[in-house]
Amino acid sequence: MKQPDKKLVLDSGVEFLGYGFGADTNSVCEIVFNTSMSGYQEILSNPSYTDQIVVMTYTMIGNYGITDEDFEARNLTLGGLVVREVCDTPSNFRYTKTTAELLEEYSIPGISGIDTRMLTRLIRDGKCHRAAIVSAEMSAEEAVALIKATPERRDAVERVSCKKRWYSRTPNHRFDVVLVDCGAKLNIVRMLNKRGCNVIIVPFNTPAKEVLAFSPDGVVISNGPGDPNDLPTVVELVKELHGKLPIFGIELGHHLVALSYGAKVAKIEGVHRGGEHSVRNLESGKIETTAQGSLYFVNEKSLEGTPLEVTHRSVIANTVEGVECKAEQIFSVQYNPESAPGAQDSAYLFDKFIKLMEERQNA
């Protein structure tokens, strides 16, 4: 019988023995969980998970392999992957490599054989924040010391954002949209292209005057990793664009929109991440199934005195999930309406953005 060769150690000292796959290297990162039942490739390639060890609650990961068409970013930047069982023999005619091969290619360690249900409860209840994937031979005390000695990086967006602008065009386009890349998922680009938008993807630190120089019909502030409070440059960009053209903020972009109006954003422990989070649309009253990706939330009390109105609210936690300033044609949501992976209930938000651009064109 194969002996465990890897260990996951939490900052609380709790340890889990398991079996390594992917890259044979140590990793110290924030630890989070995701409850999605499919779409693991999109999760692994989502820049929002940069510098995070991701625990998948679904029992088997890798059963349909990795396909060349389904990446959400050109590079993988997550810190590690924890699963109950990893499949090395995918059954899918489209697959080109296994999950283990993908992780090895990007020097990312994985560990299987873990009681992911117990681990998820510890994360959910706030009993661990950071963790290390290390050799099974390392003691828990040594691993905890390693976690404490490893500083948390604050430059995730700078590392995952594009370094130069690039374009994604579509035939017979109707609109030109600037996408500010804070760690954008490629499906945001696809959703905009599908709706007749040529998309200009620019680095996160692009000044407002350069954005406006493209004469865009609208701007999207993308998802991304890390603490939104570490991005004053992007907050200032959004502030300078207020009222000049329609703006749509997604996930991290949602937080940056709120900060640009003077609201506050903070981390909430044990939040739900995955593709089955229920959100109420306060205008229609409908419940939407959404894909969540961020650990940060807008402080509702801090919205007082701002022109932002709450448009969406979590059914489970009652937290703010969407805001809007109708007078300046700006809105944003906490979750990922581009649905890669996740439910498709919120794709209408892209149509709302298109409508705002149409209204401005016809004004």
Side-chain angles (χ1 to χ4, degrees):
M1 183 178 178
K2 182 180 178 181
Q3 293 297 312
D5 59 348
K6 287 288 183 179
K7 179 185 292 186
L8 176 74
V9 182
L10 309 181
D11 52 11
S12 61
V14 176
E15 60 180 3
F16 296 82
L17 285 171
Y19 307 94
F21 64 96
D24 185 15
T25 184
N26 293 345
S27 179
V28 177
C29 294
E30 182 178 30
I31 187 165
V32 300
F33 67 89
N34 189 295
T35 60
S36 298
M37 298 178 67
S38 63
Y40 55 80
Q41 179 176 342
E42 291 89 341
I43 293 165
L44 295 177
S45 58
N46 183 350
S48 294
Y49 288 108
T50 300
D51 298 336
Q52 293 182 335
I53 294 173
V54 180
V55 180
M56 298 299 298
T57 61
Y58 190 66
T59 51
M60 178 183 284
I61 299 299
N63 54 307
Y64 54 84
I66 301 297
T67 59
D68 294 337
E69 301 86 1
D70 294 342
F71 286 100
E72 283 303 310
R74 297 172 180 177
N75 293 301
L76 268 65
T77 53
L78 79 161
L81 180 64
V82 180
V83 302
R84 177 63 181 173
E85 181 180 353
V86 63
C87 177
D88 287 328
T89 55
S91 178
N92 179 2
F93 73 96
R94 296 173 62 230
Y95 100 91
T96 56
K97 63 187 71 173
T98 67
T99 303
E101 289 169 338
L102 177 68
L103 294 186
E104 184 177 14
E105 180 180 344
Y106 287 93
S107 300
I108 299 168
I111 183 170
S112 65
I114 299 293
D115 184 347
T116 51
R117 295 182 70 178
M118 176 182 176
L119 178 56
T120 298
R121 293 187 67 173
L122 292 174
I123 300 170
R124 183 199 64 188
D125 296 340
K127 295 180 180 177
C128 60
H129 302 88
R130 302 181 78 207
I133 297 176
V134 296
S135 168
E137 298 175 355
M138 182 181 290
S139 69
E141 292 75 18
E142 289 177 304
V144 170
L146 177 63
I147 294 170
K148 291 180 178 179
T150 304
E152 294 186 52
R153 300 188 66 171
R154 316 290 294 190
D155 62 344
V157 168
E158 180 179 353
R159 284 183 283 129
V160 299
S161 177
C162 61
K163 302 303 181 280
K164 294 179 64 177
R165 70 175 182 268
W166 58 282
Y167 300 85
S168 180
R169 298 181 174 89
T170 189
N172 304 314
H173 83 286
R174 300 165 57 206
F175 305 102
D176 293 294
V177 172
V178 169
L179 173 60
V180 179
D181 180 10
C182 298
K185 295 169 67 178
L186 291 176
N187 211 43
I188 295 176
V189 178
R190 300 184 195 110
M191 295 286 269
L192 291 168
N193 284 160
K194 183 179 178 180
R195 288 164 172 79
C197 300
N198 278 351
V199 185
I200 309 155
I201 301 90
V202 301
F204 77 102
N205 55 357
T206 302
K209 63 179 181 180
E210 290 188 22
V211 170
L212 294 171
F214 292 109
S215 299
D217 298 296
V219 172
V220 175
I221 314 296
S222 83
N223 64 292
D227 187 341
N229 297 292
D230 292 336
L231 297 169
T233 302
V234 192
V235 173
E236 186 59 31
L237 164 66
V238 179
K239 189 181 297 184
E240 290 185 36
L241 295 177
H242 284 178
K244 291 183 171 67
L245 69 180
I247 298 176
F248 178 18
I250 296 174
E251 194 203 60
L252 177 61
H254 164 68
H255 306 136
L256 296 170
V257 165
L259 288 170
S260 75
Y261 280 100
K264 296 181 179 179
V265 176
K267 183 183 286 188
I268 295 182
E269 302 294 348
V271 296
H272 178 104
R273 298 180 88 172
E276 306 85 27
H277 192 85
S278 298
V279 168
R280 185 185 301 278
N281 182 322
L282 300 183
E283 183 176 359
S284 68
K286 291 182 178 180
I287 304 298
E288 302 169 16
T289 300
T290 68
Q292 299 280 337
S294 179
L295 302 175
Y296 291 84
F297 284 83
V298 174
N299 181 301
E300 184 169 3
K301 190 172 182 180
S302 71
L303 292 173
E304 296 176 4
T306 75
L308 295 175
E309 298 179 2
V310 178
T311 58
H312 297 75
R313 191 179 293 280
S314 167
V315 173
I316 298 172
N318 203 40
T319 49
V320 174
E321 291 279 338
V323 295
E324 181 176 20
C325 176
K326 290 185 178 180
E328 295 186 319
Q329 293 186 305
I330 297 177
F331 71 102
S332 61
V333 290
Q334 169 79 24
Y335 46 93
N336 301 107
E338 72 281 353
S339 310
Q344 300 179 18
D345 294 16
S346 303
Y348 71 91
L349 291 167
F350 286 93
D351 298 324
K352 177 177 180 176
F353 180 58
I354 297 297
K355 186 176 180 181
L356 290 179
M357 291 191 290
E358 287 177 341
E359 290 175 355
R360 182 167 285 265
Q361 279 189 352
N362 298 329

